[in-house]
């Protein structure tokens, strides 16, 4: 592959000529655009692109799919200015940026507690407008509502239309999501009107200030119906009348017969979301016989990972263009002249576009997306917080193994240190598997026994417990104290390394299945500054491990013995076997457990729904109703007592369609006494009598 940024002017001119000789006009546009994205001399590339784009100028659009940093307005503005200049230099009509691109999305409560950054984003916006001349730019920003007696929230989520050196109009978001990881309405006021309002309404707009003007914006002879993210997710026909809001901004915009819909988005990736988004946008374009241009943010901000994959559907609902997934890109399109290029989705996702919503262990179609979602989450979390290196415990088990591979790929092997921390019950196989993995990945590795720390801690605690017992009763006959001492001793080692060496963060290695069951230790394996796999169930982790062995450049880095090994924390001996306790013996089969989680999260099923329906696990294994009831009882009991653990989980990447990540799901910790089975009416009636 040509390293365009390494070529001098003469070499680049020759490479451009090679491209023009080899490819047709349209393909040459995208080859040269890719060269620009890779850092080639912009003036030489832009000159040739402008010539090639001349026949496509009328209605041409640049989709600026960029990766912002939340709150770093200067950093974000630099990217915005770069792509506005690029669009102008190659002669595009329009350049479109993601939602809230100047501020970075999500920004959460920061704008409320530190309103100065809102004022800053306005100042930057006004200055950016001055350099926007021949091309119209659509730039997302936070708009303050300046009133003495303000009713409602303090801000709008807005898009400014910039051209001819000034702000030409403002579009404000109407539909504000307050579900899953979204919490827009906490600080944003919904727009009282759909479409574009005049520039003079900036910072001075409310329902009594609505000016009667067209909802669409006329740019170089084309009418654009502009919306922001959620505003295009409310089509009653597509969602079979189960919409969240009473209005549909796209339907309102359609009444003015726009030539194209434009949607500025910051929409995180999740399992099954691509299927919904693809079909919905296609439906809208076909329903209104109007092309739709969707520009999405890329990169990760804390728990949310954005896949980019900006796209265009033509007026027949056919996919015309799609940007790369998980990469910054400037994609040039013209929906009126059939100019576009479809870059592939992550491998496997195309198969899911018409997939039914059923539980399956066939994870293959979603594994590359899962891998890239977590990789991007790690990369951006470390880069945007200033950390460079990670340290984690390598137990020789699946969870820490998958984390190690992901960290090595995201940060570079030289920036990852794996520590084997055996106790007196750690098997030789676990130690050798961990060392072999580290060698295969070429990460740093050492072994540090926790035996002494465990013994000293146990002695200190034994003495302390004796004193406490003189005042308190209720001491457990059997406890998990020794198990937890081991897990927390390991965390002490990892945090010690983090404190002693610069730019280093310890990693929490808990997975979703075990977090649901509380099968994780606070200040132990849950302890760390980031939790890469906290939203990945155990069965999917097995599939991901095999996928990485087959699809990474260095094949089979994960020893087969680790994948074949039954998961277990090696914290206690099972009295029945005399060997370290196996997790499934303490919990239930992971295939069954993961389907319980899926049914609750995706189908909202309750106890008796599951008790009286057939699980995938039961197609291969005979399970009595008594055993099934025992597993379900254990699930709800353990889940209820695990709630407080979820609340202190470190930042983690949301991967699944639903999650227990605290940004996605909130439940009172003190709600642990919920009766998930419910009661028959007769029993409720009798209880009420007892109350009297």
């Amino acid at each position: 592959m040509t390293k365009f940024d390494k070529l001098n002017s003469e070499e680049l001119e020759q490479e451009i000529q090679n491209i023009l000789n080899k490819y047709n006009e349209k393909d040459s546009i995208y080859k040269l655009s890719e060269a620009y994205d890779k850092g080639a001399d912009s003036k030489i590339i832009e000159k040739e692109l402008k010539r090639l784009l001349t026949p496509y100028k009328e209605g041409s659009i640049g989709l600026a799919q960029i990766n912002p940093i939340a709150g770093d307005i200067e950093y974000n503005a630099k990217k915005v200015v770069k792509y506005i200049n690029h669009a102008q230099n190659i002669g595009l009509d329009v350049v479109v940026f993601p939602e809230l691109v100047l501020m970075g999305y999500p920004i959460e409560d920061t704008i409320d507690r530190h309103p100065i950054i809102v004022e800053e984003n306005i100042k930057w916006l006004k200055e950016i407008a001055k350099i926007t001349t021949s091309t119209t730019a659509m730039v997302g920003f936070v708009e303050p509502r300046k009133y003495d007696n303000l009713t409602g929230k303090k801000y709008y989520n807005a898009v400014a239309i910039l051209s001819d050196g000034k702000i030409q109009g403002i579009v404000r978001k109407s539909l504000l999501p307050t579900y899953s990881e979204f919490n827009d309405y906490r600080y944003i006021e919904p727009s009282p009107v759909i479409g574009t309002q005049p520039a003079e309404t900036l910072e001075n707009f409310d329902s009594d200030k609505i000016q009667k003007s067209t909802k669409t914006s006329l740019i170089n002879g084309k009418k654009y119906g502009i919306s922001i993210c959620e505003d295009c997710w409310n089509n009653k026909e597509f969602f079979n009348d189960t919409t969240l809001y009473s209005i549909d901004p796209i339907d309102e915009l359609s009444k003015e017969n726009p030539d194209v819909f434009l949607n500025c988005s910051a929409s995180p990736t999740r399992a099954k979301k691509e299927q919904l988004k693809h079909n919905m946008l296609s439906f809208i374009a076909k329903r209104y016989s109007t092309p739709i241009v969707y520009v999405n943010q890329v990169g990760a901000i804390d728990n949310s990972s954005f896949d980019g994959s900006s796209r265009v559907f033509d007026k027949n609902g056919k996919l015309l263009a799609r940007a790369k997934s998980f990469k910054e890109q400037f994609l040039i399109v013209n929906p009126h002249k059939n100019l576009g290029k479809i870059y592939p989705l992550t491998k496997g996702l195309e198969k899911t576009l018409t997939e039914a919503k059923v539980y399956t262990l066939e994870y293959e179609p979603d594994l590359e997306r899962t891998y890239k979602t977590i990789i991007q989450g790690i990369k951006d979390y470390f880069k945007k917080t200033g950390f460079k290196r990670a340290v984690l415990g390598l137990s020789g088990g699946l969870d820490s193994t998958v984390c190690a591979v992901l960290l090595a790929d995201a940060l570079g092997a030289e920036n990852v240190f794996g520590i084997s921390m055996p106790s007196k019950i750690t098997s030789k196989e676990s130690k050798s598997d961990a060392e072999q993995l580290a060698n295969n990945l070429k990460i740093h590795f050492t072994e540090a026994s926790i035996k002494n720390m465990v013994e000293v801690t146990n002695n200190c605690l034994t003495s302390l417990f004796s004193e406490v017992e003189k005042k308190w009763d209720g001491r457990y006959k059997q406890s998990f104290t020794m198990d937890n001492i081991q897990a927390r001793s390991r965390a002490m080692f990892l945090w010690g390394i983090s404190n002693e060496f610069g730019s280093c963060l310890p990693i929490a290695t808990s997975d979703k299945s075990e977090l649901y069951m509380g099968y994780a230790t606070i200040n132990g394996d849950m302890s760390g500054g980031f939790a890469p796999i906290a939203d990945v169930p155990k069965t999917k982790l097995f599939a991901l491990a095999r996928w990485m062995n087959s699809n990474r450049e260095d094949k089979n880095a994960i020893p087969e013995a680790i994948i074949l090994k039954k998961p277990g924390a090696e914290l206690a001996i099972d009295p029945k076997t005399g060997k370290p306790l196996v997790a499934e013996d303490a919990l239930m089969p992971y295939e069954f457990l993961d389907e319980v989680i899926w049914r609750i999260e995706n189908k909202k099923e309750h106890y008796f729904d599951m008790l009286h329906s057939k699980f995938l696990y039961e197609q291969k294994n005979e399970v009595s109703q008594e055993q099934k009831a025992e597993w379900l009882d254990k699930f709800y009991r353990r889940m209820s007592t695990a709630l407080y653990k979820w609340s202190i989980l470190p930042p983690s990447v949301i991967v699944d369609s639903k999650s227990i990540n605290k940004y996605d799901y909130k439940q009172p910790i003190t709600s642990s006494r919920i009766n998930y089975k419910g009661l028959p009416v007769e029993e409720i009636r009798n209880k009420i009598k007892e109350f009297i």
Side-chain angles (χ1 to χ4, degrees):
M1 185 181 293
T2 303
K3 298 288 186 181
F4 287 100
D5 59 329
K6 305 295 183 184
L7 302 180
N8 60 38
S9 297
E10 187 176 325
E11 291 169 332
L12 183 57
E13 293 276 12
Q14 183 58 55
E15 188 64 32
I16 289 172
Q17 194 57 52
N18 293 340
I19 289 171
L20 295 174
N21 291 338
K22 185 176 181 180
Y23 298 100
N24 63 33
E25 189 177 67
K26 286 185 179 180
D27 287 342
S28 294
I29 289 171
Y30 292 105
K31 289 295 179 182
L32 294 180
S33 190
E34 288 175 16
Y36 173 83
D37 284 337
K38 291 174 182 175
D41 187 303
S42 59
K43 290 183 179 178
I44 298 174
I45 291 288
E46 287 173 341
K47 179 182 176 182
E48 196 59 44
L49 274 173
K50 186 171 185 177
R51 184 187 69 79
L52 289 169
L53 287 166
T54 300
Y56 302 99
K57 181 177 186 337
E58 186 183 350
S60 58
I61 306 170
L63 282 58
Q65 176 177 290
I66 68 175
N67 180 356
I69 296 177
D72 192 340
I73 300 167
E74 182 174 348
Y75 175 90
N76 301 335
K78 183 178 180 180
K79 288 180 178 287
V80 170
V81 169
K82 171 188 173 182
Y83 285 120
I84 289 176
N85 280 333
H86 180 53
Q88 293 183 151
N89 291 341
I90 63 178
L92 298 184
D93 275 3
V94 174
V95 57
V96 190
F97 294 89
E99 175 183 15
L100 290 187
V101 67
L102 265 187
M103 184 65 71
Y105 182 92
I107 190 64
E108 302 291 346
D109 294 333
T110 317
I111 56 176
D112 188 54
R113 187 156 295 183
H114 305 284
I116 186 174
I117 67 170
V118 179
E119 296 301 323
E120 285 297 297
N121 104 129
I122 294 295
K123 288 191 287 186
W124 280 92
L125 179 71
K126 290 178 178 178
E127 294 304 310
I128 290 170
K130 293 175 183 177
I131 61 100
T132 309
T133 54
S134 58
T135 295
T136 298
M138 298 177 188
V139 179
F141 70 105
V142 177
E143 179 189 10
R145 301 176 66 222
K146 293 189 173 179
Y147 289 93
D148 291 333
N149 299 304
L150 182 68
T151 300
K153 310 300 181 181
K154 296 178 183 177
Y155 307 107
Y156 286 120
N157 179 336
V159 166
I161 303 167
L162 314 177
S163 68
D164 295 327
K166 58 185 179 181
I167 299 172
Q168 301 289 346
I170 307 290
V171 177
R172 299 168 177 93
K173 191 172 183 178
S174 300
L175 309 183
L176 303 179
T178 53
Y179 55 82
S180 297
E181 68 266 59
F182 306 111
N183 201 9
D184 285 22
Y185 193 59
R186 184 171 173 87
Y187 38 87
I188 301 293
E189 181 72 8
S191 175
V193 66
I194 306 299
T196 307
Q197 287 287 294
E200 54 265 29
T201 64
L202 179 66
E203 301 184 78
N204 186 30
F205 182 70
D206 209 341
S207 55
D208 62 341
K209 299 288 180 71
I210 296 173
Q211 297 192 23
K212 291 184 179 179
S213 58
T214 57
K215 294 181 174 67
T216 54
S217 295
L218 188 65
I219 302 170
N220 291 354
K222 300 290 184 185
K223 285 197 296 185
Y224 293 84
I226 305 165
S227 60
I228 304 173
C229 203
E230 187 85 349
D231 288 350
C232 77
W233 288 75
N234 205 50
N235 187 281
K236 288 181 168 57
E237 293 177 54
F238 180 79
F239 288 107
N240 297 316
D241 292 324
T242 57
T243 53
L244 292 175
Y245 315 95
S246 60
I247 59 171
D248 180 1
I250 299 297
D251 192 60
E252 290 292 316
L253 291 169
S254 74
K255 294 173 183 176
E256 294 189 4
N257 299 311
D259 294 299
V260 61
F261 292 122
L262 284 179
N263 183 265
C264 304
S265 278
S267 184
T269 177
R270 305 183 74 127
K272 307 298 183 184
K273 189 171 183 179
E274 175 59 37
Q275 170 187 351
L276 176 62
K277 180 165 59 179
H278 175 93
N279 294 329
M280 180 194 70
L281 292 172
S282 173
F283 180 91
I284 289 171
K286 186 176 181 180
R287 166 68 178 78
Y288 296 107
S289 297
T290 305
I292 186 165
V293 175
Y294 166 88
V295 184
N296 192 28
Q297 180 172 304
V298 72
I301 294 179
D302 291 5
N303 304 274
S304 297
S305 192
F306 302 85
D307 62 340
S309 302
S310 302
R311 62 198 66 190
V312 180
F313 289 87
D314 69 17
K315 67 179 183 179
N316 299 311
K318 181 182 177 182
L319 185 65
L320 173 65
R322 183 172 57 216
K324 297 176 182 178
S325 299
F326 301 101
K327 287 184 181 294
E328 285 193 315
Q329 187 181 9
F330 188 85
L331 183 65
I332 301 164
V333 302
N334 190 322
H336 313 288
K337 298 190 176 184
N338 199 39
L339 177 64
K341 179 176 175 62
I342 301 172
Y343 288 87
L345 291 168
T346 52
K347 186 178 179 181
L349 277 191
E350 293 283 1
K351 299 177 185 177
T352 70
L353 298 182
T354 57
E355 190 178 75
K357 192 174 183 178
V358 295
Y359 180 73
T360 177
L361 293 173
E362 297 297 325
Y363 291 115
E364 183 70 24
D366 195 45
L367 292 178
E368 184 171 310
R369 185 203 66 88
T370 298
Y371 171 81
K372 288 187 174 180
T373 297
I374 301 173
I375 290 291
Q376 180 175 256
I378 296 169
K379 277 185 176 180
D380 274 9
Y381 188 81
F382 276 70
K383 179 182 177 182
K384 293 175 181 180
T385 57
F387 288 98
K388 296 177 182 176
R389 301 185 288 194
V391 61
L392 78 162
L394 283 187
S395 67
L398 183 71
D399 290 356
S400 63
T401 292
V402 171
C403 286
V405 178
L406 293 167
L407 290 162
D409 289 356
L411 305 177
E414 69 280 6
N415 291 314
V416 181
F417 216 125
I419 316 291
S420 171
M421 296 173 282
S423 70
K424 64 181 182 181
I425 65 172
T426 302
S427 66
K428 292 180 181 178
E429 292 79 12
S430 293
K431 291 187 282 186
S432 61
D433 288 344
E435 186 170 8
Q436 185 182 342
L437 172 72
N439 291 336
N440 292 349
L441 292 175
K442 299 180 177 61
I443 64 174
H444 302 291
F445 177 80
T446 192
E447 182 179 304
S449 173
I450 61 169
K451 291 178 184 177
N452 291 340
M453 185 182 289
V454 170
E455 286 179 13
V456 170
T457 305
N458 184 49
N459 290 337
C460 291
L461 287 177
T462 300
S463 175
L464 176 61
F465 295 158
S466 297
E467 291 300 313
V468 173
E469 198 172 15
K470 293 175 182 177
K471 306 291 183 180
W472 274 3
D473 60 6
R475 186 172 182 180
Y476 294 120
K477 293 180 179 178
Q478 279 188 309
S479 77
F480 296 105
T481 304
M482 279 302 297
D483 301 27
N484 291 335
I485 288 173
Q486 293 171 70
R488 288 169 182 151
S489 295
R490 291 176 175 128
M492 282 282 287
F493 279 175
L494 299 180
W495 278 109
I497 293 169
S498 170
N499 294 154
E500 191 73 12
F501 295 90
S503 303
C504 179
L505 199 65
I507 299 301
T509 58
S510 302
D511 68 62
K512 181 174 184 174
S513 305
E514 293 175 357
L515 284 167
Y516 249 99
M517 295 290 89
Y519 197 70
T521 305
I522 292 175
N523 298 328
D525 55 331
M526 282 185 68
S527 182
F530 196 72
I533 61 170
D535 197 31
V536 185
K538 184 74 85 175
T539 51
K540 192 173 189 179
L541 278 179
F542 278 108
L544 182 60
R546 291 202 177 280
W547 183 89
M548 291 192 296
N549 266 358
S550 299
N551 290 276
R552 294 176 70 252
E553 187 175 340
D554 294 327
K555 302 286 190 291
N556 299 312
I558 300 175
E560 184 70 9
I562 292 178
I563 299 175
L564 295 176
K565 186 187 304 179
K566 287 190 174 184
E570 291 193 328
L571 297 176
I573 298 296
D574 187 340
K576 297 177 183 177
T577 64
K579 296 180 179 179
L581 186 67
V582 173
E584 286 184 310
D585 292 341
L587 303 173
M588 64 195 74
Y590 281 113
E591 288 186 18
F592 185 88
L593 169 58
D594 287 354
E595 185 167 353
V596 174
I597 294 169
W598 185 90
R599 284 169 175 253
I600 289 173
E601 290 187 341
N602 292 278
K603 299 186 74 175
K604 313 295 190 293
E605 289 190 4
H606 60 72
Y607 181 96
F608 291 106
D609 287 332
M610 290 185 277
L611 185 63
H612 300 301
S613 61
K614 193 167 186 177
F615 276 57
L616 192 61
Y617 179 79
E618 294 177 273
Q619 294 179 12
K620 299 179 293 182
N621 303 274
E622 189 173 332
V623 181
S624 67
Q625 281 296 93
E626 291 75 19
Q627 177 64 82
K628 196 171 180 180
E630 183 182 325
W631 285 342
L632 288 171
D633 287 342
K634 180 183 287 187
F635 176 88
Y636 281 104
R637 182 176 65 253
R638 294 196 66 134
M639 181 189 73
S640 297
T641 57
L643 297 175
Y644 74 103
K645 293 187 176 183
W646 303 355
S647 71
I648 60 175
L649 184 71
S652 58
V653 192
I654 297 173
V655 177
D656 234 339
S657 56
K658 303 291 181 182
S659 174
I660 55 171
N661 184 301
K662 54 182 171 287
Y663 277 82
D664 186 54
Y665 178 75
K666 298 175 177 65
Q667 178 176 340
I669 297 169
T670 49
S671 68
S672 60
R673 293 176 63 181
I674 290 173
N675 183 344
Y676 292 100
K677 294 181 182 180
L679 295 173
V681 172
E682 185 62 34
E683 190 171 344
I684 292 173
R685 190 176 296 130
N686 291 335
K687 285 184 177 292
I688 289 174
K689 290 178 181 177
E690 292 175 11
F691 298 159
I692 296 171

